[in-house]
Amino acid sequence: MIRDNASRRQVMKLAGKGLGLALLGAGMWGCTPEEEPGGTTREPGGGKGGGSFTTPPPNTAPEALWQGTTTNTSLSGNHALTVVGGIVLVSGDPLVGRDIATGKEVWSRKDVTTPGAGMLIGGGTLYLASAEYDGNVVGLDPATGKETWRSHLGTEYSQPRPIAADDDHVYVLAGILDKDFRTPDNVIAAIDTTSGKVVWREQRDHGTEETGVTAKAVGRHLVYTDFRENLTVRDTSTGQQTWTKKIGRSNNLDFVVHEDLVVIANGRRLRAFGLADGKERWSLATEEFSRFNDPALLDGVLYASDTVHGLWAVEPATGKKVWHNKGSLDVAYPWRFAKVGNTLYGATEFDDNGGIHAFDASDGKLRWTYNDGTKDIQKWYLASEGNRLAALHAKRLTGLPAV
């Protein structure tokens, strides 16, 4: 189903002026051919996927260029979907690489990683925990799916898994095995992406858990949250903890690193802390009885939605509001963002009145909403490259034009 902002009465009025048929032909309301009840999904590589596409009229969502089925589960969290070098990767088994332009399968590998593994890219390599549960971390070439790298943290550690990566290091989290083969404590370690050797390993405080960790490696800073309670920064070259701060369970899963700041959603506020010292640099509050969702940094602007369906654009260095659009209260709020040109795309957490929203990046006004019509309650995910969008909803992957 494709939703828009024009009513049937408006279209009939346009038809009287000779414009209605053009709008109706572009799918102004109703179902697209691949979404008709009882119909079939457009096969990857078919239809318009490999060629040019026509920009639809204003207030009209584009048709899907291609659609395909994945093996995604709800276990992969934030990193279920990524695009790198024109290849779309979705967490699942088998792990499949698809051409973002056509949806065609480029490669497929079974039993290559653990269930729910995130699609974590660093230096052009996809890093995964080994599906053999043998303590290995492997690197794959996203273009071919072939293994290009492998390392082992050590036999005294349990199930190391990548949490962040950059050009120089893969950062892994692993349990420390005691004499009874339990893991009451855990470590964060850095592995050299060239040699596969362990550069450093640091034991985390007793009582910290291995689950719920979201991390980013930017320059000399490894930044992570754990179970929504703490914000911690370590030095990427030594592993030494620079600072940690109790944030509380109200912060969300993802955050933004911008120059010398880390910005995190913490209940009603977006809060920015200095990477060097952890001091709070600015704070921005949303409306009463609301809270911010995960922020995203795109083309130098911070974007975030809130739980009363408002949309914000903020200067990341100062916290100054660029705009705040309260006019999207009737649509599901986005939790993941992408930006192409002057269009901001948002993937919603809920399907009701949601899907993939397109907003004017200059003021946050809604342009259109695409929905696949399945009414599945799973979150939507979104990634972009060039003039293409990849949208994941439950097990359905859709290619859309970025218009």
Side-chain angles (χ1 to χ4, degrees), residues 161-176:
R161 65 183 185 279
I163 57 171
D166 55 27
D167 290 345
D168 300 316
H169 302 134
V170 183
Y171 305 91
V172 302
L173 184 66
I176 304 173

Side-chain angles (χ1 to χ4, degrees), residues 211-356:
T211 54
V213 173
T214 301
K216 296 182 189 296
V218 181
R220 9 183 321 259
H221 304 287
L222 175 65
V223 188
Y224 59 93
T225 59
D226 58 279
F227 240 143
R228 307 187 181 189
E229 293 185 359
N230 302 289
L231 177 62
T232 303
V233 175
R234 292 182 181 272
D235 188 300
T236 52
S237 61
T238 66
Q240 182 177 357
Q241 182 170 293
T242 307
W243 55 266
T244 187
K245 185 178 294 289
K246 182 68 68 176
I247 298 296
R249 298 187 67 85
S250 61
N251 76 79
N252 283 14
L253 292 175
D254 211 351
F255 54 88
V256 162
V257 177
H258 171 69
E259 296 180 352
D260 61 343
L261 298 176
V262 52
V263 184
I264 193 165
N266 187 205
R268 280 194 61 203
R269 294 183 174 274
L270 287 177
R271 303 174 69 188
F273 301 95
L275 284 172
D277 54 18
K279 292 182 178 179
E280 187 166 331
R281 302 297 175 83
W282 59 258
S283 175
L284 175 68
T286 185
E287 298 176 79
E288 191 175 7
F289 309 118
S290 176
R291 62 176 176 80
F292 275 112
N293 299 305
D294 295 340
L297 183 67
L298 300 166
D299 291 344
V301 178
L302 197 68
Y303 297 99
S305 65
D306 60 36
T307 53
V308 293
H309 299 220
L311 188 62
W312 297 73
V314 179
E315 291 181 358
T318 64
K320 181 181 178 181
K321 178 182 69 176
V322 178
W323 49 255
H324 174 206
N325 178 20
K326 301 179 182 180
S328 56
L329 294 176
D330 58 340
V331 300
Y333 56 75
W335 77 295
R336 282 291 176 268
F337 294 96
K339 186 171 180 285
V340 180
N342 194 43
T343 302
L344 176 68
Y345 298 94
T348 67
E349 188 168 1
F350 302 105
D351 191 57
D352 187 31
N353 293 324
I356 301 299

Side-chain angles (χ1 to χ4, degrees), residues 146-211:
K146 294 181 179 179
E147 183 177 316
T148 59
W149 184 91
R150 177 175 289 254
S151 181
H152 195 282
L153 187 61
T155 57
E156 65 270 37
Y157 301 103
S158 171
Q159 299 182 18
R161 65 183 185 279
I163 57 171
D166 55 27
D167 290 345
D168 300 316
H169 302 134
V170 183
Y171 305 91
V172 302
L173 184 66
I176 304 173
L177 291 167
D178 66 12
K179 63 180 180 179
D180 298 316
F181 297 99
R182 298 173 302 181
T183 55
D185 297 298
N186 58 84
V187 297
I188 285 182
I191 303 175
D192 188 279
T193 55
T194 301
S195 66
K197 295 181 178 180
V198 177
V199 178
W200 54 257
R201 57 172 68 89
E202 291 289 326
Q203 182 170 331
R204 299 173 69 209
D205 294 340
H206 181 73
T208 55
E209 301 187 42
E210 295 179 58
T211 54

Side-chain angles (χ1 to χ4, degrees), residues 23-207:
L23 292 174
L24 289 170
M28 190 62 153
W29 71 69
C31 298
T32 64
E34 64 269 22
E35 293 163 357
E36 292 174 356
T40 58
T41 298
R42 176 173 291 159
E43 292 296 326
K48 306 173 186 177
S52 61
F53 51 82
T54 302
T55 300
N59 299 323
T60 306
E63 292 186 14
L65 299 175
W66 54 265
Q67 290 180 318
T69 301
T70 72
T71 56
N72 179 58
T73 68
S74 60
L75 300 175
S76 47
N78 292 358
H79 301 291
L81 170 71
T82 194
V83 181
V84 55
I87 302 297
V88 184
L89 302 171
V90 176
S91 180
D93 185 23
L95 184 59
V96 177
R98 295 183 184 274
D99 187 309
I100 192 173
T102 65
K104 289 182 179 179
E105 183 179 303
V106 178
W107 57 264
S108 177
R109 290 193 60 185
K110 284 187 64 64
D111 303 321
V112 73
T113 190
T114 55
M119 300 293 95
L120 181 64
I121 302 291
T125 298
L126 172 66
Y127 292 101
L128 302 162
S130 169
E132 301 296 325
Y133 294 96
D134 53 7
N136 282 310
V137 177
V138 299
L140 305 184
D141 180 354
T144 63
K146 294 181 179 179
E147 183 177 316
T148 59
W149 184 91
R150 177 175 289 254
S151 181
H152 195 282
L153 187 61
T155 57
E156 65 270 37
Y157 301 103
S158 171
Q159 299 182 18
R161 65 183 185 279
I163 57 171
D166 55 27
D167 290 345
D168 300 316
H169 302 134
V170 183
Y171 305 91
V172 302
L173 184 66
I176 304 173
L177 291 167
D178 66 12
K179 63 180 180 179
D180 298 316
F181 297 99
R182 298 173 302 181
T183 55
D185 297 298
N186 58 84
V187 297
I188 285 182
I191 303 175
D192 188 279
T193 55
T194 301
S195 66
K197 295 181 178 180
V198 177
V199 178
W200 54 257
R201 57 172 68 89
E202 291 289 326
Q203 182 170 331
R204 299 173 69 209
D205 294 340
H206 181 73

